[in-house]
Amino acid sequence: MMVTEKLLNLGLDFFFQQQLPVDDPGGMVPVRIMNVQRSGLHIAGADIEGHVELSGSDYDLNLTVGDWALFDNNTHRLVRRLDRKSLFKRRAPGADRREQLIAANIDTLFVVSSCNSDFNEARLERYLAIAREAQVMAVIILTKTDLVDDSRDFIQRAGKLAPAIQVEAVNALRGDTLECLLPWLKSGQTIALLGSSGVGKSTLTNTLLGLQEISTQAIREDDAKGRHTTTSRSMHQLPGGAWLLDTPGMRELQLTDVKTGLDDVFAEISAYASSCRFTDCDHVNEPGCRVNEAIEAGEIDQTRLNRWRKLAREEAFNRSNIAERRANDKALGRMYKNIISAKKSRRNS
């Protein structure tokens, strides 16, 4: 299958190229999911672009924005999803707490916060843990530098949240302050924005694009927080050829299967935790707890430890719920198979 320049510009690198069929008698072509809405998907490929409605088995592909899939030109259906390089997901709000896909095949994650009262270390650590688990480079982008006299305090606080984390402070309204982001904006690269509502994700996107492609709303004077504006996950091409994915603000982003990511973000704590006397140490009152010893010695910050404990409990709770649900689904599947088998046996007897 021929790989065209347009496919390369869409992000079809070697990882995806090696998954394409060598012979293509059926007319299948690779396409990327550019937009996800309730009514369906917007796809783009070498010689195709348009809207695809989902029905029946299409939902089994479990596609999200950024995914690559094979599209059958004869049936005009998506037939197979290519393996992903990375996947971001969350625990969806609501009683059932199911997993919700956010975006796939991201090269760099811009974790966006702002230099005002919305700056929150705990929230940033959530995003960083998710990025580290997905093995995607994360860069903290601090916006609204024009609202403070000196942004250095915010930069220093953000720089302490994970080992070797890159932090850039910008005024999202001015394109000249965004030149520091160019190393991550090369042609074919995909960038995702994550951050709570009102931190300036849409404004940052607009400035990078050089046009008002995504609606923005003014900051409320009473609390300096912007209104939520993005309602669907979409990919937008930047002038330099990179793709930028804008997502809705996620107020209930919870950790799911990101234990490794937490260990990476809180490396100074996890290093001590791994050497505690007991493997199931709760790091509160257990004897031989290396974490508590490090606290007493001033080697770990108590506030950061409290945030780690909260996130670790949340991740463990969500992980156990998923394992339990999977076990229940398997048991239900076996029950259905037994019922069908019994019906067949009665008919044949």
Side-chain angles (χ1 to χ4, degrees):
M1 182 178 293
M2 181 179 296
V3 177
T4 65
E5 184 176 353
K6 183 175 181 181
L7 289 173
L8 293 175
N9 291 338
L10 284 169
L12 191 77
D13 59 19
F14 181 73
F15 177 85
F16 301 108
Q17 293 174 27
Q18 62 185 351
Q19 301 181 54
L20 301 179
V22 178
D23 298 319
D24 184 28
M28 289 191 296
V29 295
V31 296
R32 196 166 194 193
I33 311 304
M34 309 301 291
N35 178 269
V36 175
Q37 296 180 339
R38 292 182 180 179
S39 59
L41 310 172
H42 188 88
I43 63 173
D47 300 306
I48 184 174
E49 183 171 353
H51 183 81
V52 175
E53 294 184 1
L54 298 180
S55 62
S57 61
D58 294 339
Y59 291 101
D60 295 336
L61 298 177
N62 205 23
L63 293 166
T64 188
V65 63
D67 266 325
W68 280 96
L70 293 180
F71 181 80
D72 192 327
N73 270 322
N74 297 318
T75 62
H76 300 286
R77 298 285 297 274
L78 295 165
V79 296
R80 181 167 69 86
R81 174 177 55 79
L82 301 186
D83 292 340
R84 295 162 171 147
K85 287 196 299 185
S86 62
L87 176 66
F88 293 98
K89 57 188 177 181
R90 71 168 183 172
R91 299 287 286 171
D96 59 359
R97 315 303 294 159
R98 294 188 178 276
E99 288 183 347
Q100 183 182 60
L101 304 185
I102 299 174
N105 302 318
I106 303 303
D107 296 301
T108 305
L109 181 69
F110 283 172
V111 179
V112 186
S113 187
S114 52
C115 297
N116 60 8
S117 59
D118 199 53
F119 182 86
N120 185 295
E121 284 101 333
R123 186 184 299 130
L124 289 174
E125 286 163 345
R126 288 175 179 269
Y127 291 114
L128 294 176
I130 291 173
R132 293 294 175 96
E133 186 71 27
Q135 298 184 342
V136 173
M137 173 180 288
V139 180
I140 296 178
I141 309 298
L142 301 178
T143 64
K144 305 183 182 180
T145 55
D146 55 311
L147 300 182
V148 294
D149 295 330
D150 191 345
S151 60
R152 285 180 295 182
D153 177 60
F154 292 98
I155 296 173
Q156 291 175 357
R157 290 163 63 186
K160 296 178 181 179
L161 299 180
I165 187 66
Q166 185 80 20
V167 181
E168 300 291 347
V170 303
N171 178 353
L173 295 171
R174 292 178 47 187
D176 60 321
T177 72
L178 305 185
E179 293 182 359
C180 58
L181 307 182
L182 292 179
W184 299 285
L185 302 179
K186 300 182 184 301
S187 179
Q189 292 290 294
T190 302
I191 312 300
L193 298 179
L194 283 182
S196 60
S197 298
V199 297
K201 298 190 307 299
S202 294
T203 301
L204 179 60
T205 299
N206 288 337
T207 305
L208 287 171
L209 286 166
L211 49 87
Q212 291 294 309
E213 186 165 314
I214 300 178
S215 62
T216 58
Q217 296 184 17
I219 292 179
R220 296 194 299 264
E221 294 182 358
D222 57 343
D223 60 6
K225 295 183 179 180
R227 298 177 177 85
H228 172 63
T229 57
T230 307
T231 58
S232 67
R233 294 183 289 275
S234 303
M235 293 180 63
H236 309 271
Q237 190 169 31
L238 303 180
W243 293 93
L244 192 150
L245 190 149
D246 190 56
T247 64
M250 290 173 288
R251 296 184 180 275
E252 292 190 43
L253 186 67
Q254 293 201 357
L255 306 181
T256 305
D257 288 337
V258 292
K259 185 179 184 305
T260 300
L262 281 177
D263 288 343
D264 287 346
V265 172
F266 294 90
E268 80 280 16
I269 298 176
S270 58
Y272 286 108
S274 63
S275 59
C276 288
R277 180 186 302 176
F278 302 106
T279 57
D280 60 347
C281 181
D282 59 11
H283 314 299
V284 179
N285 297 314
E286 291 278 0
C289 176
R290 292 285 290 117
V291 173
N292 284 329
E293 292 175 4
I295 285 290
E296 293 176 0
E299 297 171 350
I300 295 178
D301 179 69
Q302 181 67 55
T303 302
R304 186 162 158 85
L305 175 63
N306 293 339
R307 296 200 302 265
W308 173 76
R309 284 172 173 164
K310 179 180 178 180
L311 292 177
R313 287 194 299 267
E314 178 183 311
E315 193 279 335
F317 176 78
N318 287 337
R319 180 159 34 90
S320 64
N321 279 358
I322 290 176
E324 181 179 350
R325 182 179 297 114
R326 287 171 178 167
N328 291 338
D329 289 343
K330 289 181 179 179
L332 187 61
R334 288 193 296 267
M335 182 184 72
Y336 286 150
K337 289 181 179 179
N338 292 335
I339 293 174
I340 294 173
S341 178
K343 288 183 177 179
K344 289 182 179 179
S345 297
R346 287 196 298 269
R347 285 197 297 267
N348 295 332
S349 60

